[in-house]
Amino acid sequence: MREASDALCREYGLSVIENPQPGKADHYAAWKAKQDDRPTWPGLVRDDVDEAIRQSMTMQQFWSNLKKRGYEVKVKKLLYLKPPGSPYFCRIERHFGPDYSVTGITERILNQRTREKPLPEPERRSRRVPIKGSIRAVKKATGFRALYFHYCYLLGFYPKDKPRQNKRLHFLLREDLLKMDAISEEAKLLARCQIDTGEQLSSYKTDLERKIKNVTAQRKSLYKKKRTVAVKSDEGKQAALKAEIDRLSGELKQLRKEVRLCDDIAERSGVMLEKLRVIQEEERNKEQEENRDEQLRRRSRTSR
């Protein structure tokens, strides 16, 4: 079929792809994220692999750097990586090309004469952001609002007084960078409606569903009215009814969007709490391990 297609293209003066290379196309979500300059899951994995290569002088250091980032590594004829939080291994050479095969990674490490130090994070300039209401009320946020504010702070949505030095964002949080638009919309809804508890969220959703029912009934009656003889014979009335129907349709669209946001908040909040619990536990275990290592070093110096 390719040969027949190429022959037709040449016959009618159309372009022909010479020596086409096999590959794997991105699915729509990944393609759209690249178009919008947003991070993607494969992009995060590739960035981690590239950074692990830059910080390694041997393959053993490379495996160690990947494991420190939470990856599971499986090497057969090919290299398979399982990112933290993912149930599946991925063959990175298939996604990123021969530079990410075991041979390609080995050559890239050997070609590095010196170990590159991690680049410092760019200095963040403080800025003033106008807010409405009292700052004391903002500080007293609890429940869902406090959870989302804290989560967005960790993701870097909000400006910080002091930049974090050489501290990488945990992979469980970085995967939510792909969903930052949705998380931002949910946080705005919680802040605008002052929703802190599950009861308040459920009550707000019930009010939305009642409004949807009322607006739907109003629009239905207008559709019936639009089909009457009196309206059909009057272009002015038709235009007025159409404008009112369009307004109600826009209102319905916004109400339904907020209902979906309520459902997403109820589901995502539990996931957020679990991720924060896992991260805190990992940090606590790491701190305990560092303390044990420090005690062993002190004992070793004392014994000498």
Side-chain angles (χ1 to χ4, degrees):
M1 290 181 65
R2 184 174 68 239
E3 292 176 358
S5 174
D6 291 348
L8 286 172
C9 289
R10 292 189 181 96
E11 181 179 351
Y12 291 97
L14 302 177
S15 62
V16 177
I17 299 176
E18 303 293 347
N19 301 320
Q21 299 296 322
K24 182 180 178 182
D26 293 333
H27 58 76
Y28 177 76
W31 176 84
K32 188 67 169 63
K34 290 179 181 178
Q35 296 298 313
D36 296 340
D37 197 23
R38 291 187 287 111
T40 61
W41 179 278
L44 295 175
V45 174
R46 181 172 55 191
D47 291 344
D48 276 345
V49 173
D50 288 340
E51 187 169 350
I53 291 173
R54 288 195 298 269
Q55 295 181 350
S56 302
M57 294 297 292
T58 65
M59 287 299 291
Q60 192 63 32
Q61 288 181 346
F62 173 70
W63 306 132
S64 177
N65 286 331
L66 284 179
K67 291 176 181 178
K68 287 179 181 179
R69 289 171 170 79
Y71 284 85
E72 292 184 33
V73 181
K74 184 168 61 175
V75 182
K76 296 183 179 179
K77 291 183 178 179
L78 301 172
L79 172 60
Y80 295 84
L81 295 181
K82 181 180 178 182
S86 172
Y88 306 109
F89 282 87
C90 65
R91 193 178 75 188
I92 62 172
E93 180 182 355
R94 180 182 180 187
H95 289 278
F96 310 134
D99 286 344
Y100 293 85
S101 64
V102 175
T103 303
I105 292 173
T106 303
E107 291 178 354
R108 290 171 64 184
I109 290 176
L110 292 177
N111 288 334
Q112 295 180 155
R113 294 184 178 180
T114 58
R115 179 177 177 178
E116 295 186 12
K117 298 181 179 179
L119 296 175
E121 293 188 359
E123 182 180 357
R124 299 185 180 181
R125 298 180 180 179
S126 60
R127 56 172 181 167
R128 295 189 176 187
V129 180
I131 61 172
K132 296 181 180 180
S134 171
I135 190 64
R136 293 181 180 178
V138 175
K139 290 183 178 180
K140 293 180 181 178
T142 58
F144 286 138
R145 279 191 298 160
L147 172 63
Y148 268 78
F149 291 163
H150 178 61
Y151 207 78
C152 291
Y153 175 88
L154 293 177
L155 290 175
F157 287 0
Y158 301 144
K160 306 175 180 60
D161 295 334
K162 296 181 180 179
R164 291 175 295 179
Q165 297 296 331
N166 298 328
K167 187 173 181 180
R168 289 175 50 81
L169 194 62
H170 194 280
F171 198 94
L172 291 177
L173 296 179
R174 281 192 290 142
E175 66 180 0
D176 279 334
L177 291 174
L178 310 178
K179 309 168 187 174
M180 57 186 178
D181 292 338
I183 293 175
S184 178
E185 289 295 322
E186 293 163 18
K188 290 176 183 177
L189 174 65
L190 294 173
R192 185 177 71 250
C193 302
Q194 302 290 298
I195 297 175
D196 292 329
T197 65
E199 291 78 7
Q200 291 174 341
L201 184 66
S202 177
S203 176
Y204 183 72
K205 180 183 174 182
T206 301
D207 290 341
L208 290 174
E209 290 173 340
R210 185 170 56 251
K211 290 179 181 178
I212 289 174
K213 186 176 180 180
N214 293 335
V215 174
T216 301
Q218 293 177 31
R219 190 176 65 168
K220 186 176 180 180
S221 66
L222 291 179
Y223 276 126
K224 289 182 178 180
K225 189 175 180 180
K226 188 178 179 182
R227 291 192 292 267
T228 61
V229 177
V231 174
K232 287 183 177 180
S233 60
D234 191 330
E235 293 183 359
K237 290 182 179 180
Q238 287 184 17
L241 280 176
K242 183 179 182 305
E244 182 63 14
I245 289 172
D246 290 343
R247 185 189 69 79
L248 292 176
S249 297
E251 185 177 348
L252 276 175
K253 182 179 179 181
Q254 181 61 30
L255 291 172
R256 288 167 179 161
K257 177 183 177 182
E258 293 195 3
V259 168
R260 290 193 299 270
L261 288 176
C262 290
D263 292 336
D264 292 342
I265 289 169
E267 180 179 357
R268 198 190 305 275
S269 59
V271 178
M272 284 181 175
L273 287 171
E274 178 61 21
K275 287 184 177 182
L276 292 176
R277 185 193 66 78
V278 171
I279 293 171
Q280 290 172 358
E281 184 176 352
E282 288 182 1
E283 290 179 349
R284 184 164 55 250
N285 293 337
K286 183 178 180 181
E287 184 178 356
Q288 291 175 356
E289 184 177 350
E290 290 176 351
N291 290 336
R292 285 196 299 268
D293 292 342
E294 180 63 24
Q295 290 176 2
L296 290 174
R297 284 194 293 269
R298 290 180 180 178
R299 291 175 184 174
S300 176
R301 287 194 296 267
T302 304
S303 62
R304 292 176 185 175

